[in-house]
Amino acid sequence: MSKQYVKRHVLEKNKNNSKEKEKPNKNIFSKNFKKIYPIGLHRTCSPLSLSLSLSQNSTDSSLTDYSAPLDEKISLAIRLIAPTEKREVPVAKIVQQPSADPGEEGLIRRCNWITKNSDKVYVQFHDECWGVPVYDDNELFELLALSGMLMDFNWTEILKRRQLLREAFAGFEPNQVAKMGEKEIMDMATNKELNITESRVRCIADNAKCITKIAREYGSFSSYIWEYVNYKPMINKFRHPRNVPLRNPKAEAISKDLLRRGFRFVGPVIVYSFMQAIGMTIDHLVDCFRYRDCVNLAERPWRHV
């Protein structure tokens, strides 16, 4: 055997030994690689592969079963990495649509003067009536009378007796209230449930007479009062309660004319409260859930009936 042949034989033998040594390393690498990418997505760098790699500590053998369909593997991996508990979202950050149940007011963002201690009747008035345009003479007369009572009571106290007042004043029908006699006035003044003074009863009766006169002149009290704003509500964009005024130039002008026509208890502050209640001015704060609803109503074409 020549030296050249022996040298070549040694080289081939060393080469074969080197290849055999490399085989275990390749198997170990492949095994570890499968642990990191258990469903065979190691060739992609998509977000899905990154998220699925979080399941590398799973002991579920189905993940390493390469005979299973790919869709089944992905579905199983997603279930494994899904959170076991739902995170609770702070209630303060939840902005929900208005609920029909007044008891759920804590979940709805309202004007700041509506608090968790506010009476339900006051909350309901805020949610359903305050800032909604009113064109009916009876309703306008009622809200003018209720606004005038703010000199003696707050809205909650007034609204709790609203139904009793409606019954006592014939549904606030101006023509009927204007005809009230002395006996009817005294009966209401002595009614403890109504809890209103004789002067207040007489004031409401006198204002009813003034409204009937305006109705004859303008066709309706509604036409008269809405003419001050060209039959379109004033839309404000107040962000804080301190921005909402107690009176404005328009209220002062209306008050002055009402007093000239014989109305009583209709100062600028009372008139502005009346304007807010009948939707002549939209004073809901911009982050109140009722703001957009009232603005949508205010922007509709005005059709007086």
Side-chain angles (χ1 to χ4, degrees):
M1 184 180 293
S2 65
K3 293 182 179 181
Q4 184 177 1
Y5 176 80
V6 171
K7 184 177 180 179
R8 185 173 64 183
H9 178 74
V10 171
L11 289 174
E12 288 179 355
K13 185 176 181 181
N14 291 339
K15 185 176 181 181
N16 291 334
N17 290 338
S18 177
K19 289 182 179 179
E20 289 178 359
K21 290 180 180 180
E22 289 177 2
K23 288 182 180 180
N25 293 335
K26 183 177 181 181
N27 291 337
I28 292 173
F29 175 75
S30 177
K31 183 178 180 181
N32 292 335
F33 204 65
K34 289 178 183 178
K35 285 184 179 181
I36 297 176
Y37 297 98
I39 58 175
L41 296 178
H42 54 277
R43 291 186 178 274
T44 178
C45 59
S46 67
L48 178 61
S49 67
L50 294 178
S51 62
L52 292 178
S53 67
L54 297 176
S55 62
Q56 59 183 313
N57 294 327
S58 172
T59 58
D60 195 323
S61 61
S62 62
L63 288 175
T64 55
D65 181 9
Y66 284 82
S67 64
L70 180 60
D71 291 346
E72 183 178 336
K73 297 174 184 178
I74 294 176
S75 177
L76 179 59
I78 290 175
R79 288 200 302 270
L80 289 171
I81 66 175
T84 56
E85 296 183 358
K86 295 182 178 179
R87 293 185 300 173
E88 295 184 358
V89 181
V91 174
K93 295 184 179 180
I94 297 177
V95 180
Q96 298 186 357
Q97 294 298 319
S99 169
D101 183 3
E104 298 181 2
E105 64 269 12
L107 301 179
I108 301 174
R109 182 173 294 174
R110 294 180 169 88
C111 296
N112 290 8
W113 49 86
I114 302 295
T115 68
K116 63 180 181 180
N117 297 322
S118 296
D119 193 280
K120 288 184 178 181
V121 69
Y122 183 45
V123 176
Q124 185 179 12
F125 180 66
H126 167 275
D127 291 357
E128 299 176 6
C129 304
W130 200 72
V132 176
V134 175
Y135 305 112
D136 179 76
D137 275 10
N138 291 15
E139 293 181 38
L140 291 170
F141 177 34
E142 175 183 351
L143 290 171
L144 179 63
L146 298 184
S147 298
M149 294 175 65
L150 289 171
M151 295 182 65
D152 305 318
F153 310 99
N154 59 43
W155 271 119
T156 299
E157 295 169 330
I158 295 169
L159 293 169
K160 284 183 175 181
R161 301 199 300 274
R162 189 175 190 178
Q163 188 56 41
L164 291 174
L165 291 167
R166 283 177 176 171
E167 295 172 1
F169 288 99
F172 286 96
E173 208 291 317
N175 290 315
Q176 292 194 33
V177 177
K179 297 176 182 178
M180 283 175 52
E182 191 67 22
K183 184 179 183 303
E184 292 174 290
I185 292 175
M186 294 307 299
D187 287 344
M188 279 190 277
T190 56
N191 188 326
K192 293 183 178 180
E193 287 185 319
L194 290 177
N195 190 26
I196 53 177
T197 63
E198 179 186 342
S199 62
R200 176 63 59 185
V201 178
R202 292 188 184 278
C203 168
I204 293 174
D206 290 342
N207 287 349
K209 295 175 183 178
C210 296
I211 287 177
T212 57
K213 292 179 181 179
I214 289 178
R216 287 195 294 268
E217 181 181 350
Y218 286 85
S220 67
F221 181 62
S222 179
S223 296
Y224 161 79
I225 202 69
W226 279 97
E227 187 178 348
Y228 276 96
V229 291
N230 294 322
Y231 309 104
K232 188 173 183 179
M234 297 181 294
I235 301 174
N236 295 314
K237 297 180 180 180
F238 300 130
R239 295 189 174 277
H240 307 285
R242 64 176 179 270
N243 301 138
V244 182
L246 293 176
R247 56 198 287 178
N248 68 357
K250 195 71 68 175
E252 292 172 358
I254 295 173
S255 171
K256 184 178 180 179
D257 193 60
L258 290 177
L259 290 170
R260 182 182 65 82
R261 291 174 179 273
F263 283 80
R264 297 168 57 194
F265 293 102
V266 286
V269 176
I270 293 299
V271 169
Y272 193 75
S273 295
F274 170 64
M275 293 171 63
Q276 291 173 319
I278 68 171
M280 281 184 71
T281 176
I282 308 302
D283 281 357
H284 282 285
L285 302 184
V286 293
D287 60 351
C288 174
F289 85 95
R290 284 295 291 161
Y291 178 78
R292 179 46 53 188
D293 295 336
C294 290
V295 168
N296 289 339
L297 291 173
E299 291 177 343
R300 294 190 308 177
W302 187 83
R303 291 184 177 90
H304 180 65
V305 179

